[in-house]
Amino acid sequence: MRGVKAIFIKQAKDMTKNFSVLIMFVLFPVVAFGMTHFVARGNDDISDTMFTTMMASIFVGMALIQSACTVIAEDREKKSLRFLVIAGVKPLAYLLGIGGVILTASVISSFAFGYIGGFGQGEFVAFMAVMISGAVASIILGATIGIYAKNQQAATGLSMPVAVVLGFGPMVAQFNERVESVVGIFYTQQINVVVNDFSAGIAYPLSVIWINIAVLTVLFVIAYARKGLRD
């Protein structure tokens, strides 16, 4: 646990200096707030929660993947990851330390989304459950991609296509059944299902999300073992 705590503290300090990462956690809730209050409310043709759920899904599918990827790539670029591995830091400890910081920021952003959406108590609990679970999946995926990126610029190039597919795929799926059948196996689609229809229940979506998490964790461990010691 000492290793996890040390990495958590290190990353928390580093993250406060990385504006490109910090802005991700502020920008999406701000856009959701603006679109909700100035466009959706007062317009009978638009649901009051439409922009909140839309921005929340894209936040998990895009912003968190890129944030985690950038953070890991920064460690690789500065050779921090190399020294951590040499020092005996295990993949899980590293992931928990780095991911813990990003997840904490994600929970704060998710609370903001929930407040903006004006969800009822039960809906808010369901919303937070899928948002936090989805955040875990995106952090692991972003970290895995970051392991293969030599620097932060490369991290953006590698993570962007994946983030676009996972972030915008659920939106396209609402209008195309073929796309829906394909993206249904991904955690972002299950988040989209829940936040757009709380009456559908969260048991199945959560099970799919956590299966995604299990698979992504294995991929991260493999990537860390193969690339962690390389420049």
Side-chain angles (χ1 to χ4, degrees):
M1 291 303 293
R2 288 183 179 179
V4 174
K5 182 179 179 180
I7 294 171
F8 184 96
I9 294 172
K10 166 196 168 295
Q11 187 51 48
K13 292 179 179 178
D14 289 346
M15 193 167 170
T16 59
K17 303 174 185 177
N18 194 330
F19 180 78
S20 63
V21 172
L22 280 177
I23 193 64
M24 296 274 195
F25 297 90
V26 177
L27 180 62
F28 285 86
V30 167
V31 172
F33 177 83
M35 296 297 286
T36 297
H37 284 271
F38 300 114
V39 178
R41 291 182 180 173
N43 190 328
D44 294 335
D45 297 325
I46 301 177
S47 168
D48 286 351
T49 61
M50 187 184 82
F51 291 109
T52 300
T53 56
M54 181 187 299
M55 288 295 105
S57 296
I58 296 175
F59 168 74
V60 171
M62 287 193 67
L64 296 185
I65 291 175
Q66 292 187 285
S67 296
C69 185
T70 299
V71 164
I72 303 295
E74 182 181 16
D75 271 354
R76 282 181 54 76
E77 188 174 2
K78 294 180 178 179
K79 304 296 188 289
S80 299
L81 181 56
R82 182 184 182 91
F83 294 128
L84 286 170
V85 177
I86 292 175
V89 175
K90 301 299 182 183
L92 184 58
Y94 179 71
L95 182 60
L96 288 175
I98 294 292
V101 176
I102 301 175
L103 184 61
T104 300
S106 302
V107 170
I108 295 172
S109 296
S110 296
F111 264 99
F113 281 121
Y115 175 78
I116 295 167
F119 301 126
Q121 185 174 358
E123 293 176 342
F124 184 83
V125 171
F127 176 78
M128 291 300 298
V130 294
M131 285 292 288
I132 293 173
S133 298
V136 171
S138 282
I139 290 168
I140 298 171
L141 177 55
T144 303
I145 298 172
I147 289 291
Y148 285 94
K150 293 182 179 180
N151 51 52
Q152 295 182 63
Q153 184 177 0
T156 300
L158 288 173
S159 63
M160 183 59 74
V162 177
V164 168
V165 170
L166 292 177
F168 288 96
M171 292 176 58
V172 178
Q174 295 182 50
F175 307 100
N176 189 303
E177 292 184 0
R178 184 174 297 179
V179 174
E180 183 179 9
S181 65
V182 173
V183 300
I185 63 173
F186 299 131
Y187 64 95
T188 49
Q189 171 62 9
Q190 298 306 318
I191 294 172
N192 195 60
V193 168
V194 173
V195 299
N196 282 291
D197 183 11
F198 289 104
S199 64
I202 66 170
Y204 176 77
L206 277 179
S207 65
V208 174
I209 294 172
W210 281 93
I211 289 172
N212 275 238
I213 289 172
V215 173
L216 292 171
T217 300
V218 172
L219 294 178
F220 172 80
V221 171
I222 293 172
Y224 188 95
R226 289 183 176 180
K227 302 285 288 185
L229 284 172
R230 298 182 185 178
D231 293 334

